Amino acid sequence: MAFNDRIKNDVIKVERGKTMWKVRERVYIKNVVLGGTLLLTVLCNLVIAKGGGMFSHVELARLILAIPAFIPALITVVIYYVMHSLVIHKWSIKCFFYVYLTVISVTVPATLISMAIDVRTINWENIIKSFFPFLFPNYFYLGIFLFAILFVPMLKKINYRVNNQIKNGILFFSFCVGTLAGFALLNHPSVSFLIWIIIAIANPLIEVSVKQKKYLYSASIAGLLVLLVVGTISSVPYRVSLINNLAPMFMLILGKALSNTDEYSEDRKKINSLFLLPLALIFTNPLLLNLCRDFFVRYFRPVPVGWFLFFAISFVSFLFLYGYCFAVSGYINDLLESRASVKGAVPLIVSAVLLMYMIYNYSEFYALGFDAMIKQQNGRIYLAFLNLLLVVLWYFVVSTIINRFWISTTLFCSVMIGFSFANVQKIQYRNEPIIYPDLAMVKSLPEIVKMVNVQLVILMLIVILGLLVLSFFLQKKFLKGKLFKIVPRILVLSLSGILLWQFSVVENQMNLNAWLNKKNDTSNPISNMIVTAGYTAHPENLGHNAQAYGPALVFTSTQIIKTMDRPARYSRATVNKVVSKYERLATRINKTRRNNNLNKQTVIYILSESYADPRRVPSVKLSSDPIPYMESLKSKNTSGLMFSSGYGGGTANIEFEALTSLSMNNFDPSLVTPYVFLVPRVNNLPVITDLFAHKNAIHPYQSTTYDRGKVFKKFGFQTFHTLDNKNIEYKSKLGKSEYVDDQSAFEQTIKQIHSVKGGQFIQLSTMQNHMPYIKGTYEQNDFNVKANLYSYSINQIESYTQGIHYTDAALKKFISKVDKMKKHVTIVFYGDHLPGIYSGNAVSGKNAATVQGKLHQTDYFIHSNFATHGIKNTNVVSPNMFTPMVMEKLNEKVSPYYALLTAVQQKVPAAELNKYMKKNGQLIVKKNLSKKAKIILRDYKLIQYDITAGKQYSLKTKNFVK
């Protein structure tokens, strides 16, 4: 007997299961149809916004105008379905809060999306409206709907006490009132809409028979078709208003015909129609609609391919939105059933990622302010979308690897906040954003941290650590479980990685094209997308790029590190031909050179950190001359201006050029730090140390910065005097400065000169004038600054100027001691770059292009304590020209390599940032150079490629470098 009962129960369960499956299948179809119709109304609105002329058929154009008029009807039926579920199922006060949670799970992310992609919408009003959406005119019905939910129990009691005859009368009367109001209020569609919303809220109380439903179904379909025909092909007055005001009635009738009071009887707590509410909220959100319209109007082109992409993107977007709504409604229903679910993490993930992107984007404008952000990114919707897409892909990589909501999201947010903070600091001092190669500087992190507000960094690290600990706790308590199952996890991770890699490849090529003044190939879909969005690569000005086009795109553009592109004519034969050419030139040069004893002399290269006369910067005026001794030295020696590739930073690159005589101008723009990305993997680089038996380096700081310790060892330096090597004897500091002063650095150099009997090469890189430039660093400040710059910039200039004044005094003592030596000593002194402290009207906006050259000009001189040979063409030089200049000044014989460099120095002495500098300091482009100059540059680039990225054919020639 028990066995038979069990069989009966199983049969009943199977039958119920089949019934439930049919019902839910019907519900899902209903959701898709309503969602699809909402999407169609939005698409038609976009086409209308694009303007006339898109269609030649009048009827099609009228249809497109008529379809959006069904939006009130669709919203009305959505409200009806949700109320219907609430009335016929078990209700509690939690339902109200959960429906409200559903609403803000849509409106808050929608607002954040709008603010992330269109910075013009960032304001407190929109933030408040995201939590109280019924404050939007578009969402006025929400307030009424949410208020009505509170009275569901009372409505149920009324429903039980009123007989069916009265209910039918109320139903008929309400539709009559709505219809009459619809005709009477043709000029006031909002009022008519309000009436239909009230009717939709009350309608679930009324039940109809199966027979009545058939009539209602037929009548509603017929009515909707009539309205559609009237709105499309007729010339009836107010035809669109008729649809607006009467379609809600027929949609309500259709909803009534399709609804069932017995639905989901086995699942009483679940609000199955709740899925429709998020869809309606998304497709009627005013911020999202404006965003779509602006995007569509600006970028859509009505060509066959354009239409295909339009509908393809719309379909994919609908699937994503459908999935989002499914997650939100599923989570709410799980809450109603007191069941744990990780689906609730979706709105939190969306909000967190959007917030992190907004913080990251704003970090580019922290010093300039919000108005500058709006001015730069106003209307750049497509570019903002691409930047946001990249940040989303970064999150997908993190979340698919960790696969736990709290841990992956907290880690992602922590990294993004730390990243944004570092971005602010780097922009403040170097006018350049954080880029991918900077990640290789992690070994130097302790030294870098000391350059900023240490207390703030420690506090931030403590907070991040606390959040990570909290995330592990929350992971065990709330929103537990895996974010992805194995198959989607692999797919999402793979797709994210592929897209990120493709963006990197495309943008790297765009950087190279900009470097070579070539057009971008738009056959690649991603390239086409980036170009269409308005992105223009400026690899020489990453700060401008990041502000104008977004930081994520710029960061991605630096992910692929390439040394150089292979020259079209590169081969052993071609290289040997060039080598022979400069062997002959070396022979001609050496006929007039008397000396071949550079190794017996002492040559000192002094890289003076951030040294550059502030008075060259437009509008800057000082109360007195801070560097009188430097000016007198320059007037008596080979001197001029050095064209620096850096601004506010890039010390290691300038030092690399000076030591190797290789040009940053020849490298691919992605090779931002040769010390880190080139030197470790290339042997036999030409370095000036090759010409000396004794070579020693001094840097009164840490050896780990830019991997100098390893690099200098590879360059052949026998000793490297640094603070962490504990072989610096002189390490005094000025005032409150964190850095060893120049006086101590020069004293250490004097000691090194005396430590070797014969000649030697010494590389000194100072630190005294390194950022930050905080007012009050020095005990006194003798200089007042006037400039058309920001006040905080002026304060920094005053502190910086006091620093170079101290350098001037220390330099005077140093040169005085050197001049008294019997040894032959030659000093090459140069500033590596300007400090990144010049901000304001004089150097930005319309003035930015004209002052570009000024912001890359530092001071240099070559001084010997004995009589030397004169040099020509020295007004402007690049650091890679110093060695051939020293050899000419000392009348030293040259190898073919330095003969090539001598030729370059005579024809094109200053080249950086894919630009060339004339004697007067003005920038020119390559095409304006002489034919001979272009040939020499081509030879130079070929040899540089051969040495750094090629087969090193040239180095196999005996004595090519030495």
Side-chain angles (χ1 to χ4, degrees):
M1 186 71 180
F3 178 74
N4 291 333
D5 289 340
R6 206 178 305 129
I7 291 176
K8 287 181 180 179
N9 289 333
D10 290 342
V11 171
I12 292 170
K13 286 180 181 179
V14 170
E15 292 300 322
R16 284 178 178 173
K18 289 180 179 178
T19 304
M20 288 291 292
W21 174 253
K22 288 179 181 178
V23 169
R24 286 179 176 169
E25 187 179 43
R26 188 170 68 224
V27 171
Y28 294 153
I29 292 172
K30 180 171 61 182
N31 291 342
V32 173
V33 170
L34 279 171
T37 310
L38 281 166
L39 176 63
L40 182 61
T41 61
V42 171
L43 299 183
C44 290
N45 262 321
L46 294 178
V47 173
I48 292 168
K50 185 70 176 177
M54 292 187 69
F55 300 100
S56 58
H57 300 287
V58 177
E59 289 79 9
L60 183 57
R62 283 188 171 184
L63 176 63
I64 290 171
L65 285 169
I67 288 175
F70 284 91
I71 289 177
L74 294 168
I75 295 172
T76 302
V77 78
V78 167
I79 295 296
Y80 166 78
Y81 276 131
V82 179
M83 280 299 293
H84 180 262
S85 290
L86 289 169
V87 169
I88 67 172
H89 296 119
K90 186 175 181 180
W91 187 93
S92 68
I93 192 65
K94 289 194 299 184
C95 290
F96 169 80
F97 293 106
Y98 289 156
V99 171
Y100 186 70
L101 182 60
T102 304
V103 171
I104 62 174
S105 293
V106 172
T107 55
V108 171
T111 301
L112 291 174
I113 288 173
S114 176
M115 292 193 296
I117 297 180
D118 188 353
V119 294
R120 295 169 295 182
T121 61
I122 301 177
N123 55 60
W124 283 108
E125 181 183 358
N126 284 336
I127 293 172
I128 292 170
K129 285 179 177 179
S130 68
F131 288 95
F132 305 100
F134 38 81
L135 297 177
F136 279 113
N138 300 54
Y139 281 165
F140 73 90
Y141 63 87
L142 273 179
I144 301 168
F145 172 56
L146 290 169
F147 183 73
I149 291 175
L150 296 172
F151 292 91
V152 167
M154 187 178 72
L155 293 173
K156 280 188 172 184
K157 288 182 180 179
I158 295 172
N159 186 38
Y160 293 143
R161 295 179 182 179
V162 178
N163 60 46
N164 288 337
Q165 192 173 359
I166 296 175
K167 290 179 185 178
N168 289 334
I170 294 171
L171 176 65
F172 179 75
F173 177 76
S174 65
F175 278 111
C176 288
V177 169
T179 305
L180 291 173
F183 281 110
L185 299 169
L186 289 175
N187 289 321
H188 303 281
S190 296
V191 179
S192 175
F193 181 33
L194 175 60
I195 293 170
W196 285 117
I197 288 295
I198 295 171
I199 294 172
I201 290 170
N203 243 272
L205 296 171
I206 303 163
E207 301 172 5
V208 292
S209 65
V210 175
K211 187 176 181 181
Q212 288 173 319
K213 284 184 178 183
K214 291 180 180 179
Y215 291 120
L216 291 175
Y217 180 79
S218 301
S220 62
I221 295 296
L224 289 170
L225 287 174
V226 169
L227 284 176
L228 190 60
V229 171
V230 168
T232 303
I233 63 174
S234 73
S235 57
V236 175
Y238 299 105
R239 54 191 180 81
V240 175
S241 296
L242 283 170
I243 298 174
N244 224 7
N245 291 13
L246 297 180
M249 174 183 68
F250 294 109
M251 285 299 292
L252 272 178
I253 294 172
L254 181 61
K256 200 78 181 168
L258 293 175
S259 61
N260 191 330
T261 55
D262 294 327
E263 285 179 352
Y264 336 120
S265 57
E266 294 294 316
D267 202 0
R268 301 290 288 175
K269 290 183 180 179
K270 196 165 187 178
I271 309 174
N272 289 277
S273 294
L274 198 59
F275 173 86
L276 294 171
L277 185 59
L279 278 177
L281 293 171
I282 288 172
F283 286 115
T284 58
N285 185 279
L287 294 175
L288 292 183
L289 289 177
N290 287 335
L291 202 62
C292 291
R293 185 190 65 244
D294 292 348
F295 184 89
F296 180 79
V297 169
R298 177 169 296 190
Y299 298 106
F300 176 75
R301 300 291 180 269
V303 294
V305 175
W307 278 114
F308 172 78
L309 289 175
F310 174 54
F311 286 112
I313 291 170
S314 300
F315 178 72
V316 173
S317 301
F318 178 69
L319 292 180
F320 275 108
L321 293 174
Y322 189 97
Y324 181 82
C325 295
F326 179 80
V328 171
S329 60
Y331 174 62
I332 300 301
N333 278 302
D334 287 340
L335 285 177
L336 282 167
E337 297 171 17
S338 301
R339 190 169 59 195
S341 171
V342 77
K343 288 187 288 238
V346 174
L348 297 176
I349 289 171
V350 172
S351 300
V353 172
L354 289 167
L355 279 172
M356 290 307 103
Y357 167 68
M358 291 169 67
I359 291 171
Y360 181 34
N361 189 28
Y362 182 68
S363 69
E364 293 290 333
F365 299 91
Y366 181 79
L368 301 176
F370 184 68
D371 290 340
M373 182 179 179
I374 292 178
K375 186 177 179 181
Q376 277 278 24
Q377 298 187 351
N378 182 12
R380 294 180 178 270
I381 293 172
Y382 202 163
L383 283 168
F385 167 75
L386 293 179
N387 279 273
L388 177 58
L389 173 62
L390 289 171
V391 175
V392 170
L393 294 174
W394 296 345
Y395 178 81
F396 278 153
V397 170
V398 174
S399 61
T400 49
I401 292 172
I402 299 175
N403 207 24
R404 296 295 187 278
F405 163 65
W406 288 110
I407 299 173
S408 58
T409 305
T410 305
L411 179 63
F412 174 79
C413 292
S414 299
V415 170
M416 289 300 295
I417 290 171
F419 202 68
S420 300
F421 174 77
N423 209 39
V424 169
Q425 300 301 316
K426 190 180 178 190
I427 291 168
Q428 182 178 353
Y429 295 112
R430 291 185 57 175
N431 198 31
E432 183 181 271
I434 293 288
I435 54 178
Y436 182 77
D438 292 333
L439 302 183
M441 297 292 292
V442 67
K443 295 177 183 178
S444 306
L445 198 57
E447 290 74 44
I448 294 171
V449 167
K450 292 177 184 177
M451 299 177 188
V452 298
N453 190 324
V454 179
Q455 290 81 5
L456 184 59
V457 173
I458 292 172
L459 178 62
M460 188 173 68
L461 290 175
I462 291 172
V463 171
I464 289 174
L465 183 62
L467 290 174
L468 288 172
V469 172
L470 180 62
S471 70
F472 279 93
F473 171 77
L474 292 173
Q475 192 62 59
K476 295 182 179 180
K477 299 293 182 181
F478 311 103
L479 301 175
K480 300 180 289 184
K482 298 178 180 179
L483 286 173
F484 301 94
K485 293 181 180 178
I486 186 64
V487 174
R489 183 182 183 187
I490 294 172
L491 288 175
V492 171
L493 178 60
S494 302
L495 185 60
S496 300
I498 290 169
L499 285 173
L500 286 171
W501 176 252
Q502 281 300 306
F503 267 99
S504 301
V505 171
V506 167
E507 290 191 72
N508 176 265
Q509 185 60 46
M510 292 179 74
N511 280 340
L512 185 60
N513 290 343
W515 209 253
L516 301 173
N517 294 315
K518 289 184 178 179
K519 289 185 178 181
N520 293 305
D521 178 18
T522 54
S523 60
N524 182 298
I526 291 179
S527 177
N528 184 38
M529 189 164 53
I530 295 173
V531 171
T532 303
Y535 177 87
T536 303
H538 294 284
E540 77 284 1
N541 194 347
L542 296 177
H544 166 269
N545 257 23
Q547 289 181 353
Y549 307 125
L553 277 170
V554 170
F555 180 85
T556 307
S557 73
T558 61
Q559 278 186 276
I560 295 177
I561 308 300
K562 186 191 296 183
T563 304
M564 292 176 68
D565 269 350
R566 180 187 176 98
R569 61 194 191 97
Y570 178 71
S571 66
R572 181 190 289 270
T574 306
V575 171
N576 289 340
K577 185 177 180 181
V578 171
V579 168
S580 298
K581 176 181 177 180
Y582 290 97
E583 284 177 335
R584 293 191 296 274
L585 178 61
T587 301
R588 289 199 302 272
I589 291 173
N590 291 337
K591 286 180 179 179
T592 61
R593 301 275 178 97
R594 293 181 305 167
N595 302 324
N596 195 23
N597 60 352
L598 187 63
N599 181 46
K600 296 178 181 179
Q601 302 193 43
T602 297
V603 177
I604 307 170
Y605 279 13
I606 299 177
L607 182 155
S608 184
E609 174 61 42
S610 300
Y611 190 97
D613 190 345
R615 293 170 294 181
R616 273 197 304 276
V617 177
S619 85
V620 174
K621 295 180 180 179
L622 306 181
S623 56
S624 59
D625 185 357
I627 51 171
Y629 182 69
M630 165 64 82
E631 291 179 332
S632 67
L633 267 179
K634 289 182 69 174
S635 65
K636 299 172 186 176
N637 288 281
T638 300
S639 64
L641 300 177
M642 190 196 82
F643 186 10
S644 171
S645 61
Y647 171 74
T651 300
N653 294 352
I654 290 97
E655 188 179 76
F656 171 85
E657 287 186 292
L659 293 174
T660 65
S661 297
L662 298 171
S663 175
M664 291 296 297
N665 204 45
N666 287 335
F667 287 129
D668 186 272
S670 65
L671 189 74
V672 292
T673 313
Y675 273 4
V676 177
F677 296 103
L678 177 69
V679 176
R681 56 188 176 86
V682 177
N683 293 319
N684 302 321
L685 286 173
V687 187
I688 188 175
T689 53
D690 296 334
L691 308 177
F692 293 84
H694 299 282
K695 40 258 186 169
N696 304 280
I698 303 168
H699 180 45
Y701 200 56
Q702 308 297 322
S703 63
T704 53
T705 310
Y706 293 108
D707 272 348
R708 269 198 185 94
K710 294 179 181 178
V711 169
F712 280 12
K713 187 176 181 180
K714 195 166 186 177
F715 281 1
F717 285 100
Q718 292 147 340
T719 61
F720 187 18
H721 298 271
T722 63
L723 295 178
D724 56 337
N725 287 336
K726 297 181 180 180
N727 52 3
I728 291 278
E729 183 177 340
Y730 303 93
K731 41 191 173 185
S732 299
K733 299 175 182 177
L734 292 169
K736 298 177 182 178
S737 174
E738 294 291 325
Y739 306 113
V740 173
D741 61 35
D742 284 351
Q743 178 66 40
S744 297
F746 293 150
E747 289 292 337
Q748 190 72 43
T749 306
I750 293 291
K751 182 180 179 181
Q752 181 59 46
I753 294 172
H754 291 313
S755 68
V756 176
K757 288 185 179 181
Q760 64 174 312
F761 175 78
I762 301 173
Q763 166 63 39
L764 168 64
S765 301
T766 69
M767 282 298 292
Q768 176 187 296
N769 296 314
H770 199 288
M771 64 90 172
Y773 310 99
I774 302 170
K775 202 167 185 178
T777 297
Y778 304 113
E779 294 177 358
Q780 64 185 62
N781 198 322
D782 304 319
F783 303 93
N784 294 318
V785 175
K786 291 183 179 180
N788 185 18
L789 301 171
Y790 298 132
S791 58
Y792 72 85
S793 181
I794 291 173
N795 290 336
Q796 291 182 86
I797 296 169
E798 288 179 348
S799 179
Y800 166 76
T801 304
Q802 187 68 41
I804 64 170
H805 178 63
Y806 289 137
T807 298
D808 197 62
L811 185 63
K812 185 175 183 179
K813 293 179 182 179
F814 176 63
I815 296 294
S816 176
K817 290 181 180 180
V818 169
D819 284 349
K820 293 175 183 177
M821 293 179 182
K822 293 182 179 180
K823 286 184 175 183
H824 282 186
V825 179
T826 297
I827 298 169
V828 177
F829 179 99
Y830 64 97
D832 56 343
H833 55 74
L834 273 77
I837 55 178
Y838 300 101
S839 301
N841 296 330
V843 296
S844 61
K846 295 179 180 178
N847 299 319
T850 56
V851 303
Q852 185 68 20
K854 298 288 186 183
L855 294 179
H856 289 272
Q857 291 176 348
T858 67
D859 299 271
Y860 90 91
F861 68 81
I862 304 176
H863 171 79
S864 297
N865 63 354
F866 60 100
T868 57
H869 191 67
I871 312 176
K872 297 179 181 179
N873 206 16
T874 61
N875 287 0
V876 292
V877 300
S878 294
N880 56 314
M881 294 293 103
F882 287 145
T883 300
M885 289 171 69
V886 166
M887 299 180 85
E888 184 176 0
K889 184 178 178 65
L890 300 182
N891 210 13
E892 290 284 337
K893 295 183 183 295
V894 296
S895 65
Y897 178 66
Y898 288 108
L900 166 62
L901 291 166
T902 301
V904 174
Q905 191 274 328
Q906 290 172 355
K907 294 297 180 182
V908 194
E912 298 286 356
L913 306 172
N914 202 32
K915 296 182 179 67
Y916 304 85
M917 191 172 283
K918 296 189 288 187
K919 292 180 181 181
N920 61 2
Q922 296 298 311
L923 297 176
I924 58 173
V925 294
K926 187 175 182 179
K927 66 179 181 180
N928 293 333
L929 296 174
S930 67
K931 183 178 180 181
K932 191 170 183 179
K934 291 177 183 177
I935 293 172
I936 293 171
L937 286 176
R938 185 183 64 193
D939 294 340
Y940 182 28
K941 191 169 185 177
L942 180 73
I943 294 298
Q944 183 162 326
Y945 174 83
D946 178 59
I947 292 172
T948 61
K951 302 293 186 180
Q952 295 193 330
Y953 299 128
S954 58
L955 299 183
K956 294 171 184 176
T957 302
K958 187 178 180 181
N959 298 326
F960 176 71
V961 174
K962 296 182 182 180

